[in-house]
Amino acid sequence: RSGYPTQRSGYPTQRSGYPTQRGGSATQRNGYYTQRSGYTVTQRQERHERNERHGHERHGHLGHSSHRSYSCIMQSTRLRSPRLASSGSQVSLGFSSTVPANNSGKDVILCVGDSLTAGKKGFRSYPSQLQRLLDEDGLQMKVHSSGVWGHTSQDVLKRLPSALQSAFTEGGRLAFVLILVGTNDLLHSHPHQLDYQIPNIINNIRAICETAANAAFFPHVGVLTLPPLASRNPARLRLNQQIRHFMAGYAAQKGLSERFLVDLESLNPSLAQDGVHFNDEGYMEFARRTRAAILPIIQAEAASKSRLVSKSWLGSWIESLGG
């Protein structure tokens, strides 16, 4: 017990010596060794001189190696940062008209709409049925479906730019845009508000048509009237009448593309399983009527291209005779 305080009094002396060791360790780290880099001071100096010589050999003057390192950092930053990447690469805020490198060579038909375009589980949608008919005709065309359940005409208008961009990734010329909207607008509206809702639907369809017609490749635009609808059939008939009236004036407008109507009003209501969505036979009728509307346009384009090729060949032949 008598010696215990002596040991305790000596303990702070040992503790006070510990910072001295730590200080020496710090001196050793700063002056002689760097744990993070793993290089001694001499090795770091040798590496720095080697980089200087390398930069001199490549660029003809010293100090450029540090600039080269900074350039590499900025390059990696541009790849990671969307803001910087926009200045170093081509970025489109609208619709891209550039055909991808994996171009399939097939013209694209974009079908936009709601669940009547998307189809019901267990049944083949009308875009897939249309693809089947075009394949049987031997036409090199790709049908791209962009139908979303529950979407109204306003929803389709909002997502149309992304739908167009998705169609461009198919790798061919966007030839047609087919529009089938309005069913959910009627189903989601109160019966007393239907008379006010129909003009809004027409305005949305007009905006969709204008946006689609002015997209890249100036595609032909077709609007499909609404097929039989059990719970809102009188309002559907009024809406279809307004669509026909609108399309009559819209189709007469001069432009680089055709505007046409696909009438589904007279479909057999018994083909609708739940009063809204159709079975395979019903969606096949969608596809048949759509095919009948677009085939004359396809044939007219083919004939026009054939005449252009003939004129070009004839002009070349006349020039060869004159030479």
Side-chain angles (χ1 to χ4, degrees):
R1 298 287 297 177
S2 61
Y4 183 75
T6 306
Q7 295 177 358
R8 293 285 293 180
S9 63
Y11 183 72
T13 306
Q14 297 175 357
R15 294 283 295 179
S16 63
Y18 183 70
T20 305
Q21 297 175 0
R22 293 277 294 182
S25 176
T27 303
Q28 182 181 7
R29 289 186 59 180
N30 294 332
Y32 190 70
Y33 186 77
T34 303
Q35 293 180 352
R36 290 190 178 182
S37 65
Y39 290 96
T40 64
V41 174
T42 304
Q43 291 174 334
R44 293 183 66 183
Q45 291 177 349
E46 291 177 353
R47 186 182 62 173
H48 179 71
E49 294 175 357
R50 184 167 57 252
N51 290 338
E52 292 290 341
R53 289 195 301 271
H54 179 69
H56 178 72
E57 293 172 359
R58 292 192 59 182
H59 303 284
H61 62 279
L62 294 175
H64 196 80
S65 58
S66 60
H67 175 72
R68 178 173 174 269
S69 301
Y70 178 77
S71 300
C72 294
I73 293 173
M74 291 302 296
Q75 183 178 4
S76 62
T77 305
R78 284 196 296 268
L79 294 176
R80 289 193 301 267
S81 172
R83 184 184 299 273
L84 292 175
S86 63
S87 62
S89 59
Q90 184 178 0
V91 176
S92 175
L93 300 178
F95 308 131
S96 172
S97 61
T98 303
V99 178
N102 58 346
N103 183 9
S104 63
K106 296 182 178 180
D107 287 349
V108 179
I109 300 176
L110 172 62
C111 303
V112 294
D114 47 35
S115 56
L116 290 179
T117 299
K120 190 175 181 180
K121 186 176 181 181
F123 299 97
R124 297 190 63 181
S125 64
Y126 100 82
S128 65
Q129 303 273 30
L130 178 60
Q131 181 70 74
R132 175 184 173 183
L133 294 178
L134 296 177
D135 291 342
E136 291 176 355
D137 291 334
L139 297 174
Q140 297 296 314
M141 306 195 78
K142 172 66 176 177
V143 180
H144 183 89
S145 178
S146 182
V148 178
W149 276 66
H151 269 202
T152 63
S153 59
Q154 182 67 29
D155 295 327
V156 174
L157 177 60
K158 289 180 180 179
R159 68 176 177 86
L160 182 59
S162 62
L164 290 167
Q165 192 65 44
S166 178
F168 294 145
T169 62
E170 292 289 350
R173 179 180 70 97
L174 182 58
F176 291 90
V177 176
L178 304 175
I179 304 162
L180 176 53
V181 296
T183 299
N184 289 312
D185 299 71
L186 299 180
L187 294 176
H188 296 169
S189 300
H190 191 276
H192 298 295
Q193 298 177 343
L194 291 176
D195 290 336
Y196 301 99
Q197 187 67 19
I198 289 176
N200 294 332
I201 299 173
I202 295 297
N203 289 334
N204 290 333
I205 293 176
R206 179 182 289 106
I208 294 171
C209 290
E210 289 297 329
T211 303
N214 289 285
F217 304 110
F218 300 102
H220 307 294
V221 178
V223 177
L224 286 71
T225 59
L226 299 190
L229 188 63
S231 61
R232 296 286 193 273
N233 202 56
R236 176 190 71 94
L237 295 176
R238 294 199 299 271
L239 175 59
N240 284 345
Q241 184 179 4
Q242 292 294 323
I243 291 176
R244 293 191 194 94
H245 179 72
F246 156 68
M247 287 300 296
Y250 184 66
Q253 295 179 8
K254 294 182 179 180
L256 298 176
S257 61
E258 296 284 343
R259 293 89 184 269
F260 57 94
L261 182 74
V262 180
D263 204 337
L264 304 179
E265 184 171 301
S266 61
L267 258 71
N268 187 354
S270 64
L271 300 178
Q273 295 290 323
D274 54 5
V276 178
H277 306 97
F278 288 75
N279 56 19
D280 286 342
E281 185 180 353
Y283 285 129
M284 175 56 79
E285 187 62 26
F286 280 35
R288 288 195 186 101
R289 297 190 183 194
T290 303
R291 171 183 172 273
I294 67 176
L295 269 183
I297 300 175
I298 296 174
Q299 293 169 352
E301 282 190 343
S304 177
K305 291 179 181 178
S306 178
R307 288 193 298 269
L308 289 175
V309 171
S310 299
K311 289 181 179 179
S312 176
W313 178 84
L314 181 61
S316 300
W317 180 70
I318 292 176
E319 289 181 359
S320 64
L321 291 179

